[in-house]
């Protein structure tokens, strides 16, 4: 149909969408529209029913209960997300919400919901709003990659705005035809429409993602958001200012609800009133956002823009004290509701520019849920004290609001100063001037924009690169011209980032200018230029790229291939449209025909990147082959490209290159790119002993790099029943994490238990050595040169080495519990110091250790003072003397391959059938194939 095609073409052009993503984008927009529409029906309905029955006196307790349950719910919801699949949680949430709404509607119709029971739907509405919106955006982030999300989220968000406008007005209209209680049935019916939409999106867009792709598209987990906020003075002020604004908003909401419920006694009229003003607030907020926000923030600056909201509420509160009427409260509510979502929100977002994007992501949910809930609960407590306790009128809550606004203004002032310091600091990397000297004059947002432009125009390379990375987060058209000018900069890095920024800006189409940059020498620049052309070129893009891919210039051909593969990642439709696989095939044929080694190298690197970025499974065999390449550059590029596939089949091949010095750094980065799920994969490889020990030891650095509680948990498990080198490296990693990231939990009980285990192992080793020395002495008198005696002597030497390793592990564990700078020198002194130094070191240990550790560890430390494993040493430690069979049984159960082989060799040389049960035990229970095979060989000849 021509009309449909015209509308479709218009939508694609105006909202910067691609044809193949239109369906899922419209469905997601419809989904959030339904959710917000439903919320805007439920909220005025439940508020009206609640106030009509319990009056505004019940609101303070409602705020407190909402806050408590929201924080508790946030904790358990976070745990549920880790345990269950997101689609199950979303599905159950929507179905549960639909059933709850039907249940509430029935209860209200049959007069079953009254008295204290009304708090249930009241609190439920608040939780519903938080939960459904949060789930929606998590789902949306899984559907799109980062680059796509930057383009489409504005369009999807328009659905939420439309829902906010439509829902309230629909509620106001429906009250003319339906009873208030019956509106909940309408809400349930609407919300049920989200079920098929969510299931369709999950089935067609999300289910195909593997755990590594999901991890890449979800918010990172790591340090505690509370700790991150504490570490940043700017973030702390932002959190406080947001908290105070929510607190005041709740007090305003109380006044609004109180005046409305007292002046409008009819339930339907009250519902209509709430519905009308909820939507009207959305309309006013949208108009301010579209036509005034940029001008206000641009003219008055960030600091003064933040004053608009508290100033408006202050004027309204003073006016309410003079004229206590409903229209004044409505005015305050309009100021609060409209400016908060427009001017105040824009200014707050600008405030966070100097904060790294990863930290913003990690703290956003905490700020939105926990801080909001705490402020809501605090508002409830204030109202309980003043309204329910002192029985003052709602009008005089304005006095409390005025006091709180003065506190709010105080923190805004300091926030503005801290923002200027942080902004200047991030602009000038060499600035070490004290903060006090940095806050003498206010920097307006226009001057900040001018400063950004100045840096882009006149800054050094590092400053420009840093600024371009920040403007990439903001996507502000005001920076278009200075960024455009950077296309002529001498630095390739600057030109690359300039094109990356311009990719998202739409002031002017620069295809002609950027089209010439595909001839640049730097492949990063040419690849980015091709991505720009692919998105912004108005002509036939397929023909354009065919021309470049068939170019005689290999640099252009390679860059075009990489750029095309990056832009078409996860998009099968476009890959087929551009015949990407055929171009890869042609590149491989040409590669095989080329004789120039340098050209071959560059061609193969481009082919590998294209396969990796586009995730072309058909050509994974090429990646696998080049992961064994003798050419170091190609090998590193193969490792890099394999990680871009996020395919689990490449994990083990990448791990195998960790031990190579030239490939180690690239391999660690490649594995880290897989995201946090790689921790489980590495753990399984190490535990199942399917990778070399050297690779396994270095693989622990990948786990440590995540610095998360999950990483700590897996490292703790790797200190148990693993080879010594792995155990030591795991302990070292835990020690570094403990002192670098104090928020990570490593229980003292675990450390103490591990030290005690190592002490007992040390004692057992001493006992085994003692038994072997006794046996050696007895058999030596018969024949000292037998192979059995030689084997026993080798075992004793190996066990003595193990004593040093066990002592090392004991002190490594101590370094987790106590500061390493105190413990590490003690270990060196005990092993290598003079006698007097050793005695002082043991005395120092005696002073810092707790009672339980002191009892076990001090005798072990003292035993080192004895030069040989004498009877006196054994008696001092109260070690149990073992039989020869008990010795071998003890050693064969340890996780130490070298020690097991030494024991098996001694059993073989002893030629004693009494040890056959031990051989059978090894064959049945050991996990190492080499050990099992050796035991079988000995059994065969015994």
């Amino acid at each position: 149909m021509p009309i449909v095609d015209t509308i479709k073409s218009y939508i694609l052009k105006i909202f910067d969408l691609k044809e193949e993503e239109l369906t899922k984008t419209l469905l997601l927009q419809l989904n959030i529209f339904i959710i917000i529409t439903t919320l805007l029906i439920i909220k005025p309905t439940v508020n009206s029913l609640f106030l009509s029955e319990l009056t505004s006196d019940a609101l303070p307790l409602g705020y407190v209960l909402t806050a408590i349950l929201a924080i508790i719910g946030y904790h358990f919801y976070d745990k549920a997300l880790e345990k269950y699949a997101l689609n199950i949680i979303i599905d159950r949430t929507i179905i549960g919400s639909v059933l709850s709404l039907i249940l509430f509607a029935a209860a209200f119709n049959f007069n079953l919901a009254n008295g204290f029971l009304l708090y249930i739907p009241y609190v439920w509405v608040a939780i519903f709003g938080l939960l459904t919106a949060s789930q929606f955006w998590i789902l949306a982030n899984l559907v799109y990659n980062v680059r796509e999300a930057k383009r489409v989220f504005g369009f999807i968000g328009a659905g939420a705005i439309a829902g906010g406008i439509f829902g309230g007005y629909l509620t106001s209209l429906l009250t003319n035809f339906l009873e208030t209680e019956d509106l909940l049935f309408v809400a349930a019916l609407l919300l049920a429409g989200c079920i098929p939409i969510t299931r369709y999106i999950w089935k067609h867009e999300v289910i195909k993602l593997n755990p590594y792709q999901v991890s890449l598209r979800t918010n990172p987990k790591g340090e505690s958001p509370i700790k991150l906020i504490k570490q940043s003075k700017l973030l702390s002020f932002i959190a406080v200012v947001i908290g105070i604004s929510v607190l005041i908003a709740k007090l305003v909401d109380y006044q609004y609800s109180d005046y409305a419920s007292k002046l409008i006694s009819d339930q339907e009229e009250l519902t209509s009133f709430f519905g009308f003003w909820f939507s009207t607030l959305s309309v006013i907020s949208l108009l301010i956002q579209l036509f005034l926000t940029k001008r206000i923030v641009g003219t008055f600056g960030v600091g003064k823009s933040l004053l608009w909201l508290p100033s408006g509420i202050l004027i309204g509160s003073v006016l309410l004290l003079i004229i206590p009427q409903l229209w004044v409260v409505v005015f305050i509510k309009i100021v609060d509701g409209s400016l908060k979502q427009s001017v105040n929100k824009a200014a707050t977002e600008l405030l966070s520019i100097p904060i790294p994007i990863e930290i913003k992501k990690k703290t956003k949910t905490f700020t939105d849920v926990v801080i909001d809930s705490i402020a809501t609960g605090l508002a409830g407590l204030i109202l309980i004290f003043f309204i329910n306790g002192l029985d003052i009128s709602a009008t005089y809550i304005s006095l409390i609001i005025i006091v709180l606004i003065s506190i709010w203004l105080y923190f805004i002032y300091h926030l503005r100063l801290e923002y200027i310091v942080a902004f200047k600091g991030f602009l000038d990397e060499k600035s070490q001037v004290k903060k006090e000297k940095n806050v003498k004059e206010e920097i307006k947002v226009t001057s900040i924009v001018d400063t950004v432009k100045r840096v882009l125009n006149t800054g050094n390379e590092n400053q420009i690169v840093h600024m371009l990375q920040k403007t990439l987060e903001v996507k502000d058209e005001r920076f278009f011209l200075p960024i455009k000018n950077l296309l002529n900069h001498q630095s390739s890095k600057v030109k690359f980032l300039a094109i990356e920024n311009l990719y998202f800006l739409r002031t002017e189409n620069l295809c002609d200018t950027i089209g010439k940059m595909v001839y640049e020498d730097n492949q990063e620049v040419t690849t980015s230029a091709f991505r720009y052309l692919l998105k912004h070129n108005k002509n036939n893009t397929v023909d354009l790229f065919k021309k470049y891919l068939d170019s005689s210039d290999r640099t252009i051909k390679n860059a075009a291939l990489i750029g095309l593969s990056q832009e078409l990642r996860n998009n099968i439709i476009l890959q087929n449209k551009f015949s990407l696989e055929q171009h890869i095939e042609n590149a491989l044929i040409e590669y095989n025909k080329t004789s120039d080694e340098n050209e071959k190298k560059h061609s193969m690197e481009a082919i590998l990147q294209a396969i990796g970025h586009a995730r072309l499974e058909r050509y994974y065999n090429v990646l696998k082959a080049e992961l064994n390449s003798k050419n170091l550059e190609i090998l590193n590029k193969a490792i890099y490209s394999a990680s871009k596939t996020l395919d689990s089949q490449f994990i083990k091949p990448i791990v195998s290159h960790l031990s190579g010095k030239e490939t180690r750094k690239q391999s660690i980065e490649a594995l880290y790119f897989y995201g946090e799920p790689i921790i489980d994969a590495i753990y399984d490889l190490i535990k199942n002993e399917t990778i070399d020990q050297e690779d396994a030891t270095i693989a622990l650095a990948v786990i440590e790099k995540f610095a998360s509680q999950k990483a700590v948990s897996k490292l703790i498990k790797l200190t148990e029943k693993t080879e010594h080198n792995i155990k030591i490296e795991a302990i070292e990693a835990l020690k570094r994490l403990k002192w670098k990231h104090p928020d990570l939990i490593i229980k003292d009980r675990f450390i103490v238990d591990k030290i005690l285990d190592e002490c007992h192992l040390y004692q057992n080793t001493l006992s085994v050595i003692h038994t072997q020395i006794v046996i050696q002495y007895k058999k030596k008198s018969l024949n000292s040169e037998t192979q059995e005696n030689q084997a026993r002597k080798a075992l004793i030497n190996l066990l003595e080495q193990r004593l040093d390793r066990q002592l090392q592990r004991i002190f490594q564990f101590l370094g987790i519990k106590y500061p390493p700078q105190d413990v590490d020198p003690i270990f060196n002194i005990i092993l290598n110091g003079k006698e007097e130094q050793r005695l002082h070191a043991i005395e120092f240990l005696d002073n810092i250790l707790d009672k339980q550790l002191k009892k076990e560890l001090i005798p072990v430390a003292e035993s080192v003072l004895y030069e040989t494993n004498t009877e006196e040493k054994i008696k001092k430690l109260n070690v149990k003397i073992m039989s020869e069979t008990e010795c071998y049984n003890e050693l064969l159960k340890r996780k130490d391959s070298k020690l097991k082989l030494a024991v098996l060799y001694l059993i073989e040389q002893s030629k004693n059938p009494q040890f056959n049960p031990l051989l059978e035990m090894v064959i049945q229970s050991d996990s190492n194939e080499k050990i099992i095979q050796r035991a079988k060989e000995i059994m065969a000849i015994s």
Side-chain angles (χ1 to χ4, degrees):
M1 293 174 67
I3 298 175
V4 174
D5 290 339
T6 304
I7 294 171
K8 184 178 175 182
S9 176
Y10 180 79
I11 292 172
L12 293 175
K13 184 180 178 182
I14 295 298
F15 296 105
D16 196 16
L17 302 175
K18 293 178 181 177
E19 188 174 352
E20 63 279 0
E21 65 190 13
L22 184 60
T23 302
K24 63 184 179 185
T25 305
L26 288 174
L27 281 173
L28 282 169
Q29 189 187 59
L30 177 60
N31 199 12
I32 191 64
F33 171 81
I34 293 172
I35 288 170
I36 301 301
T37 298
T38 303
L39 181 62
L40 266 290
I41 293 173
I42 301 167
K43 202 168 181 180
T45 302
V46 171
N47 282 3
S48 171
L49 292 165
F50 182 87
L51 290 168
S52 298
E53 174 79 21
L54 298 179
T55 76
S56 59
D57 290 344
L59 280 176
L61 181 58
Y63 292 161
V64 173
L65 290 173
T66 300
I68 293 169
L69 290 172
I71 293 172
I72 294 171
Y74 168 75
H75 173 76
F76 285 105
Y77 176 63
D78 209 38
K79 297 290 181 186
L81 280 174
E82 294 175 8
K83 190 174 181 182
Y84 301 104
L86 180 65
N87 66 315
I88 294 172
I89 292 174
I90 293 176
D91 216 42
R92 289 177 181 176
T93 301
I94 297 173
I95 292 170
S97 298
V98 170
L99 293 174
S100 297
L101 287 170
I102 294 169
L103 187 66
F104 292 151
F108 282 123
N109 272 289
F110 291 103
N111 294 318
L112 298 174
N114 46 51
F116 195 80
L117 290 175
L118 281 167
Y119 281 105
I120 297 174
Y122 182 84
V123 172
W124 182 91
V125 172
I127 305 296
F128 169 81
L130 285 172
L131 203 58
T132 49
S134 168
Q135 288 176 351
F136 172 81
W137 288 113
I138 293 173
L139 178 65
N141 274 293
L142 290 176
V143 173
Y144 302 97
N145 61 37
V146 176
R147 189 177 282 261
E148 291 167 340
K150 284 181 180 179
R151 281 191 299 102
V152 305
F153 274 13
F155 178 69
I156 292 172
I161 295 169
I165 294 170
F166 178 73
Y169 287 143
L170 178 64
T171 303
S172 186
L173 180 67
L174 289 176
T175 53
N176 296 318
F177 310 103
L178 299 171
E179 295 289 329
T180 299
E181 297 87 345
D182 295 331
L183 291 176
L184 296 178
F185 286 121
V186 176
L189 184 65
L190 271 173
L191 189 60
C194 290
I195 298 171
I197 296 173
T198 304
R199 287 178 179 176
Y200 177 89
I201 292 290
W202 188 269
K203 183 180 178 182
H204 291 87
E205 302 297 334
V206 182
I207 202 168
K208 60 188 177 184
L209 302 176
N210 64 36
Y212 307 106
Q213 290 172 292
V214 171
S215 174
L216 200 65
R217 296 185 182 194
T218 49
N219 284 344
K221 288 189 176 183
E223 289 187 81
S224 157
I226 300 173
K227 186 169 185 287
L228 290 171
I229 290 170
K230 282 182 179 178
Q231 286 174 343
S232 167
K233 207 169 180 183
L234 181 59
L235 257 180
S236 299
F237 277 121
I238 290 173
V240 170
V241 167
I242 289 173
I244 294 172
S245 70
V246 173
L247 172 58
I248 290 173
K250 287 298 173 185
L251 296 178
V252 168
D253 184 66
Y254 172 80
Q255 288 182 310
Y256 173 72
S257 299
D258 179 75
Y259 269 77
S261 62
K262 285 177 180 175
L263 292 173
I264 305 171
S265 56
D266 184 77
Q267 202 174 79
E268 275 68 36
E269 284 185 28
L270 186 60
T271 305
S272 176
F273 174 84
F274 284 143
F276 174 82
W277 282 109
F278 274 133
S279 284
T280 303
L281 286 174
S282 297
V283 172
I284 296 170
S285 180
L286 179 61
L287 292 173
I288 292 173
Q289 179 68 25
L290 290 174
F291 302 110
L292 295 176
T293 295
K294 193 167 280 189
R295 292 183 182 181
I296 292 170
V297 177
T299 304
F300 293 94
V302 172
K304 289 181 180 176
S305 295
L306 285 172
L307 298 176
W308 277 62
L309 178 58
S311 299
I313 296 173
L314 180 63
I315 292 167
S317 297
V318 172
L319 192 60
L320 186 64
L321 289 171
I322 301 167
I323 312 169
Q325 293 185 13
L326 180 60
W327 69 266
V328 179
V329 182
V330 170
F331 166 77
I332 299 171
K333 186 70 176 173
I334 289 172
V335 169
D336 177 59
S338 58
L339 291 180
K340 182 185 287 183
Q341 296 302 321
S342 52
V343 175
N344 207 64
K345 186 178 179 182
T348 305
E349 285 174 355
L350 279 170
L351 282 170
S352 63
I353 285 178
I355 301 166
I357 187 71
E358 291 301 303
I359 291 178
K360 280 190 269 191
K361 285 180 180 178
K362 288 175 182 177
T363 55
K364 187 181 184 305
T365 305
F366 180 84
T367 304
D368 290 348
V369 178
V370 178
I371 290 177
D372 188 288
S373 299
I374 291 170
T376 300
L378 192 57
L381 293 173
I382 289 171
L383 290 169
I384 287 170
F385 179 76
F386 286 99
I387 299 295
N388 299 352
L390 301 181
D391 197 27
I392 68 169
S393 166
T395 304
Y396 294 105
I397 292 298
S398 292
L399 293 171
I400 301 170
I401 291 173
I402 291 167
V403 172
L404 288 171
I405 286 173
S406 64
I407 299 170
W408 191 359
L409 294 172
Y410 169 83
F411 279 104
I412 286 175
Y413 172 75
H414 283 280
L415 172 58
R416 181 172 60 88
L417 298 184
E418 187 58 36
Y419 167 63
I420 294 168
V421 172
F423 197 86
K424 283 183 176 179
F426 119 87
L427 285 181
D428 186 3
E429 61 183 8
K430 294 180 182 178
S431 177
Q432 297 298 322
V433 184
K434 289 185 179 180
K435 291 185 178 181
E436 294 80 24
K437 294 182 180 179
N438 280 340
V439 298
K440 288 183 178 177
E441 57 179 312
E442 177 186 1
I443 297 180
K444 296 180 181 178
V445 167
T446 45
S447 67
I448 287 173
V449 172
D450 290 339
T451 307
V452 172
K453 290 178 180 177
R454 176 174 56 79
V455 172
L456 293 174
N457 288 327
T458 62
N460 61 43
E461 183 181 340
N462 287 337
Q463 289 174 324
I464 294 172
V465 166
H466 191 48
M467 184 57 68
L468 285 171
Q469 288 168 341
K470 287 293 176 183
T471 54
L472 196 56
E473 297 171 18
V474 178
K475 296 183 298 175
D476 195 319
E477 296 289 343
R478 286 176 290 181
F479 303 136
F480 177 85
L481 190 59
I483 293 174
K484 175 187 172 183
N485 294 335
L486 291 173
L487 294 176
N488 299 315
H489 198 277
Q490 60 184 7
S491 165
S492 296
K493 182 71 174 175
V494 170
K495 284 190 274 194
F496 160 69
L497 284 169
I499 299 171
E500 287 291 294
N501 273 268
L502 292 167
Y503 179 96
F504 296 104
L505 301 179
R506 305 174 67 193
T507 301
E508 181 187 342
N509 190 306
L510 297 174
C511 282
D512 291 340
T513 306
I514 293 176
K516 297 172 185 175
M517 298 181 74
V518 299
Y519 298 99
E520 292 269 345
D521 292 332
N522 184 276
Q523 196 168 29
E524 205 174 35
V525 173
T526 53
T527 301
S528 188
F530 277 120
R531 295 191 77 174
Y532 183 92
L533 292 176
L534 193 62
K535 179 175 183 288
H536 294 276
N537 185 60
K538 293 179 180 178
N539 301 322
N540 191 317
T541 316
V542 176
D543 291 342
L544 176 72
F545 265 78
K546 190 175 186 305
K547 182 185 80 172
Y548 287 125
L549 288 163
D550 293 338
S551 170
S552 58
D553 188 321
R554 291 191 180 277
T555 305
I556 293 174
K557 183 182 290 189
N558 293 340
L561 190 63
I562 296 167
L564 191 64
S565 66
Q566 287 179 335
E567 196 67 13
L568 306 186
R569 181 177 176 86
N570 298 324
N571 195 322
I572 305 298
I573 296 171
L574 277 184
Q575 286 179 12
N576 292 333
K577 182 179 177 181
F578 280 86
S579 306
L580 182 59
E581 288 193 354
Q582 187 58 51
H583 287 304
I584 298 279
E585 190 70 42
N586 295 341
L588 284 167
I589 293 168
E590 198 170 324
Y591 168 81
N592 291 321
K593 291 180 180 177
T594 306
S595 55
D596 186 286
E597 287 301 319
N598 193 46
E599 283 189 2
K600 287 189 82 167
K601 178 175 78 71
H602 289 304
S603 293
M604 181 50 69
E605 286 179 348
I607 291 166
L608 292 172
Q609 286 183 75
I611 295 168
H613 285 299
R615 303 182 72 239
L616 299 173
E617 293 186 30
R618 179 181 167 188
Y619 294 100
Y620 279 1
N621 61 314
V622 178
L623 267 178
K624 288 176 183 175
E626 296 307 323
L627 281 168
N628 296 312
S629 175
K630 300 298 180 186
N631 184 302
L632 188 60
E633 289 179 67
I634 291 177
L635 175 57
N636 273 316
K637 195 61 73 177
I639 292 168
Y640 164 85
S641 302
S643 72
K644 295 300 172 186
T645 68
L646 293 175
D647 198 305
S648 59
Q649 65 179 295
F650 292 111
I651 293 172
K652 195 173 177 182
I654 294 173
V655 168
S656 69
H657 291 293
L658 284 169
S659 51
K661 287 183 181 178
E662 297 85 358
T663 55
R664 184 174 300 161
K665 185 179 178 183
Q666 184 64 70
S667 298
I668 290 173
E669 289 300 324
L671 290 168
Y672 184 72
F673 181 77
Y674 273 86
E676 210 173 45
I678 195 69
I679 294 174
D680 293 316
I682 291 174
Y683 173 81
D684 290 338
L685 288 173
I686 295 171
K687 271 293 187 182
N688 297 331
E689 298 180 4
T690 51
I691 54 174
D692 290 341
Q693 263 200 54
E694 193 176 352
D695 292 325
T697 305
I698 299 163
L700 296 176
V702 180
I703 297 178
E704 182 186 352
K705 196 174 172 71
F706 286 96
S708 64
Q709 198 58 49
K710 182 176 181 178
V712 168
S713 175
K714 293 298 179 185
L715 287 169
I716 285 172
K717 289 181 179 179
L718 288 170
T719 62
E720 301 165 3
K721 296 182 180 179
T722 50
E723 294 284 349
H724 169 77
N725 291 340
I726 295 169
K727 197 176 285 189
I728 279 291
E729 193 52 45
I731 300 166
E732 276 292 312
L734 284 170
K735 187 163 70 172
R736 286 189 292 267
L737 288 172
K738 165 70 184 291
W739 297 105
K740 192 176 179 182
H741 304 277
D743 59 299
L744 295 174
I745 299 167
I746 304 175
K747 292 180 180 178
D748 259 11
R749 185 68 258 169
F750 156 75
I751 300 166
V752 171
D753 287 345
K754 294 306 291 182
I755 292 171
L756 295 177
D757 289 344
E758 291 293 344
C759 287
H760 295 150
L761 189 64
Y762 185 91
Q763 293 170 354
N764 282 344
T765 304
L766 271 178
S767 176
V768 172
I769 291 173
H770 176 73
T771 300
Q772 292 303 312
I773 289 172
V774 171
I775 295 169
Q776 185 184 40
Y777 179 78
K778 288 178 180 177
K779 294 194 176 184
K780 201 172 186 180
S781 57
L782 299 173
N783 188 350
S784 61
E785 300 302 320
T786 63
Q787 286 185 320
E788 182 184 351
N789 271 340
Q790 293 299 320
R792 197 178 307 280
K793 188 176 180 181
L795 177 62
I796 291 169
N797 288 335
L798 187 60
L799 286 167
E800 286 175 341
Q801 292 172 24
R802 293 302 183 259
L803 281 178
D804 289 343
R805 285 168 39 154
Q806 286 153 16
L807 195 64
Q808 181 190 7
R809 292 202 296 266
I810 289 169
F811 276 86
Q812 294 285 24
F813 276 120
L814 274 179
I816 301 174
K817 183 173 172 62
Y818 301 102
Q821 63 268 25
D822 291 343
V823 174
D824 291 347
I826 298 296
F827 174 64
N828 292 325
I829 291 170
I830 288 174
L831 277 185
N832 307 310
K834 295 177 182 177
E835 187 176 348
E836 189 177 350
Q837 289 176 317
R838 287 176 167 186
L839 290 171
H840 285 310
I842 291 170
E843 187 179 341
F844 177 80
L845 270 182
D846 192 51
N847 287 325
I848 66 168
L849 296 180
D850 59 39
K851 188 177 179 181
Q852 190 177 15
L853 284 177
K854 194 183 298 184
K855 181 183 175 184
E856 298 289 342
L857 185 51
I858 294 299
V860 169
E862 288 176 338
S863 71
V864 182
L865 301 179
Y866 299 97
E867 295 299 326
T868 57
N869 295 300
T870 60
E871 286 285 344
E872 189 180 351
K873 189 173 186 178
I874 299 297
K875 288 176 183 176
K876 181 80 176 174
L877 287 169
N878 194 26
V879 171
K880 175 195 171 187
I881 306 300
M882 298 184 189
S883 67
E884 187 174 9
T885 303
E886 286 175 328
C887 286
Y888 299 155
N889 184 58
E890 164 70 24
L891 297 178
L892 288 170
K893 285 180 178 177
R894 292 189 187 181
K895 203 73 177 177
D896 189 330
S897 301
K898 195 172 181 181
L899 195 59
K900 288 178 182 178
L901 289 171
V903 172
L904 290 174
Y905 179 68
L906 180 53
I907 289 173
E908 181 184 23
Q909 297 308 316
S910 69
K911 299 172 183 176
N912 191 336
Q914 78 177 62
F915 301 130
N916 283 356
L918 293 176
L919 296 173
E920 289 173 4
M921 177 193 74
V922 170
I923 293 167
Q924 290 173 7
S925 62
D926 207 280
S927 59
N928 190 312
E929 283 299 323
K930 187 178 178 182
I931 303 293
I932 293 170
Q933 188 57 39
R934 188 76 181 91
K936 286 179 179 178
E937 289 170 4
I938 298 168
M939 277 285 284
I941 61 173
S942 65

